[in-house]
Amino acid sequence: MKNFLRLSILAIVLAFGSMVPVQSQIRFGVKAGMNVDRLSLNSDIFDSENRAGFTGGVMLEFTAPIIGVGFDLSAMYVRRNARFMEENNIVSNNRDYIDIPLNLKYKLSLPAISHIIAPFVTTGPSVSFLTSRKHISDAYKNRSVDCAWNFGLGVELVRKVQIHASYGLGLTKAMETFGVVNGADIQGKNRYWTVTAAYLF
């Protein structure tokens, strides 16, 4: 999995680097928003619920003019809240991460109105580093690093504000048991929707 992420990031950087002209645009920004997270568990014995959290941080956007292709790199604080039912017991799992997503971004240039509104699509990997406690209980623990692949779409308004919605597909285990619980070795992967608003300088 680590090799997969390294190759993905390298492919994005190389592809972008081969077509970036000298006059490419670099912008910095701040963004904040909310996420809805659900742990996808590998056992039907447990039932997970969607739970809301929040995110905020900074971003760097690199865009090649005319062709509209570039990437954005962010460093975000993320609170992911999850809850699942273990027989008659409710287990809450609220986690704090530093999330670093790297997205390939394509902006659609619309004649005459691109300076007012510009739709875009994104995709790319993200790596999240756990900053909250690792142990959930005597039976469950969170993994220190979580990797995902994101797919998103958004719109840029007046070349300053970006509204972005994305879906994160967890690639690695975010949570697991210390051993067998209720006859099952339980593992959970993150599945989450994120909606953010960014202001670019």
Side-chain angles (χ1 to χ4, degrees):
M1 188 60 65
K2 289 182 180 178
N3 289 334
F4 170 76
L5 283 172
R6 288 174 185 154
L7 289 173
S8 300
I9 293 171
L10 181 61
I12 290 174
V13 171
L14 289 177
F16 181 73
S18 66
M19 59 189 173
V20 174
V22 175
Q23 68 271 28
S24 60
Q25 188 176 22
I26 301 175
R27 297 191 294 172
F28 296 91
V30 293
K31 65 179 177 179
M34 65 168 293
N35 64 73
V36 177
D37 185 55
R38 181 179 180 274
L39 281 171
S40 177
L41 303 171
N42 65 335
S43 174
D44 294 334
I45 300 174
F46 298 83
D47 185 27
S48 177
E49 299 178 356
N50 293 329
R51 303 289 290 177
F54 57 89
T55 183
V58 295
M59 66 175 287
L60 165 70
E61 183 187 75
F62 216 55
T63 306
I66 303 176
I67 60 174
V69 177
F71 70 83
D72 68 51
L73 177 67
S74 302
M76 307 291 292
Y77 168 81
V78 180
R79 162 61 66 91
R80 292 195 179 118
N81 297 325
R83 189 168 70 177
F84 58 93
M85 183 73 71
E86 175 199 358
E87 293 184 336
N88 295 321
N89 298 319
I90 295 176
V91 179
S92 294
N93 185 13
N94 302 326
R95 295 147 293 149
D96 299 322
Y97 292 95
I98 298 298
D99 185 44
I100 303 177
L102 173 63
N103 287 313
L104 184 66
K105 177 183 283 186
Y106 173 67
K107 289 183 185 176
L108 181 62
S109 180
L110 302 174
I113 63 170
S114 60
H115 62 289
I116 299 173
I117 184 170
F120 61 85
V121 293
T122 61
T123 188
S126 67
V127 181
S128 301
F129 300 94
L130 184 71
T131 60
S132 56
R133 63 191 180 93
K134 189 171 184 178
H135 289 194
I136 307 167
S137 67
D138 292 337
Y140 304 96
K141 65 179 178 180
N142 293 310
R143 299 291 297 270
S144 299
V145 179
D146 181 36
C147 300
W149 194 275
N150 302 312
F151 306 88
L153 54 86
V155 62
E156 182 175 281
L157 305 173
V158 297
R159 295 183 176 174
K160 287 290 185 180
V161 177
Q162 291 185 359
I163 308 299
H164 185 223
S166 65
Y167 179 73
L169 183 65
L171 302 176
T172 57
K173 293 181 290 185
M175 181 214 78
E176 62 185 355
T177 56
F178 286 107
V180 175
V181 177
N182 291 336
D185 180 14
I186 306 302
Q187 302 169 3
K189 294 182 179 181
N190 280 319
R191 300 286 189 270
Y192 52 87
W193 287 96
T194 304
V195 177
T196 58
Y199 183 83
L200 298 170
F201 301 99

